[in-house]
Amino acid sequence: MKKTQISFELSIFETPEELSQNDQKLLSEAETARDNAYSPYSNFQVGAAVLLENGEIVHGNNQENASYPSGLCAERVAVFYAGAKFPGVPIKAIAISASSKKDVTKTPAAPCGNCRQAIIEYEQKQKSPIPILFRGKVGPIYKCASMADILPLAFSSSFLGDS
Ligand code: THU
């Protein structure tokens, strides 16, 4: 039996001013997207901003539904919209901002497992890492260099057989 450690580097920024200009802008776009979330059931608002290689920034936010499972997370709305509007254009970075309406979220809310899986598909397809930046409404900003960092041992199309 062998054991191995899987670890990754998380960058922690205390304020947005510590970020690069590009990351500050992307985070502020995610905050705008967050404020437009449709989340009357959870009152938890999430916004995602996707920067594409062609310079376009695409927004997504969570879209809820009275039939709860029919809703979708902000991150998937954003990457699916990017894939629909700009097919094949690689993703350079994603910023996420999340906060409850009931209580200001101060801890960075990382993307859920389903969103990680959806995003890593694009990372594998474009063969280059997608940095992910995430923050609550206030407080520190976390940044990981790649979705693979926070989804180790990911499932991919390589398991499906004919690749
Ligand atoms: N949500 C997201 O938009 N992204 C995540 O990564 C986690 C959760 C949304 C789904 C739902 O509308 C609300 O937050 C509460 O779970």
Side-chain angles (χ1 to χ4, degrees):
M1 196 263 284
K2 272 204 289 187
K3 285 190 182 182
T4 186
Q5 294 277 340
I6 300 177
S7 64
F8 75 99
E9 194 175 83
L10 183 70
S11 302
I12 301 173
F13 303 84
E14 290 308 326
T15 65
E17 290 69 41
E18 289 178 26
L19 297 169
S20 69
Q21 291 287 327
N22 282 350
D23 282 352
Q24 276 185 45
K25 157 110 175 110
L26 199 60
L27 181 61
S28 128
E29 297 273 347
E31 287 165 350
T32 301
R34 183 201 67 217
D35 291 340
N36 293 327
Y38 176 63
S39 55
Y41 305 105
S42 71
N43 283 309
F44 191 69
Q45 298 181 293
V46 187
V50 175
L51 173 65
L52 299 175
E53 207 152 271
N54 63 6
E56 295 281 348
I57 293 178
V58 169
H59 285 191
N61 42 38
N62 50 330
Q63 298 292 319
E64 297 187 347
N65 192 280
S67 172
Y68 293 177
S70 300
L72 198 63
C73 291
E75 296 89 331
R76 274 175 289 164
V77 170
V79 292
F80 292 163
Y81 177 37
K85 185 136 196 237
F86 300 103
V89 179
I91 297 172
K92 277 184 82 174
I94 301 177
I96 301 157
S97 171
S99 187
S100 169
K101 275 188 166 175
K102 300 173 227 163
D103 181 27
V104 171
T105 303
K106 302 180 190 72
T107 306
C112 79
N114 281 311
C115 291
R116 293 182 201 202
Q117 182 65 36
I119 293 168
I120 208 164
E121 176 88 14
Y122 295 97
E123 192 166 275
Q124 290 158 349
K125 186 165 157 250
Q126 70 187 43
K127 297 189 174 64
S128 63
I130 300 175
I132 315 285
L133 202 70
F134 46 104
R135 192 189 193 199
K137 190 165 194 171
V138 295
I141 300 115
Y142 288 177
K143 184 178 183 180
C144 56
S146 161
M147 178 48 77
D149 286 348
I150 57 170
L151 189 61
L153 307 179
F155 186 78
S156 77
S157 60
S158 67
F159 293 105
L160 298 178
D162 43 10
S163 61

